[in-house]
Amino acid sequence: MAEFDYIRWLRTQVRSTDRVEVGIGDDCAVVRIPEERVLITTDMLMDGVHFRLSEAGPRRVGRKALAVNLSDIAAMAGRPVAAVVSLALPRPGAGKLAEELLRGMQPLADEFATAIVGGDTNAWPGPLVISITVIGEPGPAGPVLRSGARPGDWLLVTGPLGGSRGGKEFDFTPRIQEARTLRLLCDIHAMIDLSDGLAGDLGHLCTESGVGAVLSAERIPIAAAATGDRLQRALTDGEDFELALAVSPEDGRMLIEQQPVPDVTLVHVGEFVAERGMWIEEGAKRRPLEARGYVHAFE
Ligand SMILES: [Mg+2]
């Protein structure tokens, strides 16, 4: 199957939404976004770096490539509208691989009403590379940034952390609905999705907000899949794709008591402080926490 056969096939596979005026087949897609502001995010995933195609299989890889972008939209409490998908496909078998990637992606796109409206498909002698760009829109209250955490705010996370390699890193649900629900219930001061591990991503959030943070070791929820030094895994394993958010103590108390998000247990794991830096408390002991960001699962 050559590129144009694939594109013809693709046009029969992808589903449109009411936002799409022109989908695949013209020089650009045309999507309706009534908001004044759009969210744009892109992620490039490479075989051997972000996944191993031979181990994970193309459907899980395709799903993940879209899901990581949706997670970034979730981190802004936005909602996705459209996606463009660019593939560098290894020859031979490029056509079949492209099909399988799309089959992995499409159910997730449908679940979150994200129309795949275009992209580019090339074949080459190198490994698989997938780059997806998602366009979204912020919620009615606007986008939630990394930069709004204040001293005294509570730090909440949306689920257990660590040990996602080989499992949750592929199968996670982007927290789109959860973020929107939370945003409607309270003023989220800052938020980030946990792609590089709690310690690393919290470091980004603190830097952007100009604050520090103190974590409570006993409170950090650790996933069952995290083995060995379980706390360390929860702090530094990447690709949990839960959300970490800063809210006022009043909102934090309300959210922890009411647990208003279906299927998600919000956990209060720490506080933001005025002094720059990060610390973790275990019992009465407080030690500095290194902002160990960027721990790719396959590095
Ligand atoms: Mg992110």
Side-chain angles (χ1 to χ4, degrees):
M1 181 156 61
E3 183 182 0
F4 294 110
D5 300 317
Y6 174 69
I7 294 169
R8 246 193 307 280
W9 174 82
L10 194 60
R11 290 177 75 170
T12 68
Q13 297 297 308
V14 299
R15 271 173 283 284
S16 193
T17 68
D18 58 1
R19 298 305 192 85
V20 180
E21 215 166 275
V22 178
I24 295 168
D26 215 308
D27 293 291
C28 289
V30 182
V31 296
R32 274 189 213 92
I33 300 182
E35 307 295 325
E36 285 177 13
R37 294 180 285 186
V38 296
L39 306 176
I40 302 174
T41 182
T42 196
D43 258 297
M44 182 166 67
L45 273 62
M46 299 178 283
D47 189 6
V49 179
H50 304 88
F51 59 84
R52 290 195 194 283
L53 181 63
S54 58
E55 288 168 17
R59 292 197 187 193
R60 292 180 99 196
V61 167
R63 183 191 188 279
K64 177 175 180 173
L66 179 59
V68 297
N69 280 280
L70 297 183
S71 184
D72 281 326
I73 299 283
M76 312 289 282
R79 93 167 182 207
V81 173
V84 289
V85 179
S86 294
L87 304 172
L89 299 157
R91 273 191 301 252
K96 183 71 192 158
L97 175 57
E99 268 185 54
E100 287 297 301
L101 290 166
L102 192 269
R103 287 190 207 281
M105 235 172 263
Q106 190 64 55
L108 189 70
D110 291 345
E111 187 180 344
F112 291 101
T114 306
I116 296 170
V117 294
D120 197 10
T121 309
N122 296 320
W124 72 323
L128 173 65
V129 180
I130 310 179
S131 174
I132 299 187
T133 299
V134 170
I135 295 164
E137 60 189 13
V144 178
L145 310 183
R146 295 179 177 182
S147 53
R150 302 163 202 170
D153 279 354
W154 283 21
L155 172 66
L156 308 187
V157 294
T158 55
L161 308 177
S164 74
R165 185 174 174 174
K168 191 181 178 189
E169 64 164 316
F170 292 106
D171 306 329
F172 70 94
T173 301
R175 297 296 188 196
I176 301 271
Q177 296 300 348
E178 291 80 0
R180 290 173 63 81
T181 300
L182 288 166
R183 186 69 188 92
L184 290 174
L185 291 171
C186 71
D187 180 15
I188 303 173
H189 293 170
M191 187 152 64
I192 191 168
D193 67 316
L194 298 177
S195 53
D196 297 341
L198 178 61
D201 287 317
L202 180 59
H204 298 315
L205 207 150
C206 285
T207 301
E208 293 301 320
S209 293
V211 296
V214 181
L215 290 173
S216 165
E218 292 86 23
R219 292 207 204 124
I220 292 169
I222 305 176
T227 53
D229 185 344
R230 301 188 68 232
L231 176 62
Q232 190 61 19
R233 302 286 305 276
L235 290 170
T236 59
D237 278 3
E239 312 214 299
D240 295 305
F241 297 109
E242 297 294 344
L243 298 172
L245 50 143
V247 294
S248 72
E250 298 73 39
D251 282 339
R253 253 175 237 114
M254 179 273 289
L255 293 172
I256 294 298
E257 271 170 34
Q258 296 185 6
Q259 292 294 338
V261 185
D263 304 321
V264 160
T265 302
L266 296 165
V267 184
H268 171 211
V269 296
E271 271 90 30
F272 291 91
V273 294
E275 191 182 345
R276 300 275 199 113
M278 296 199 297
W279 296 268
I280 185 160
E281 287 181 343
E282 292 191 76
K285 275 188 298 190
R286 176 184 285 204
R287 64 180 164 90
L289 179 67
E290 211 184 315
R292 284 248 317 255
Y294 204 79
V295 184
H296 272 310
F298 291 108
E299 266 184 350

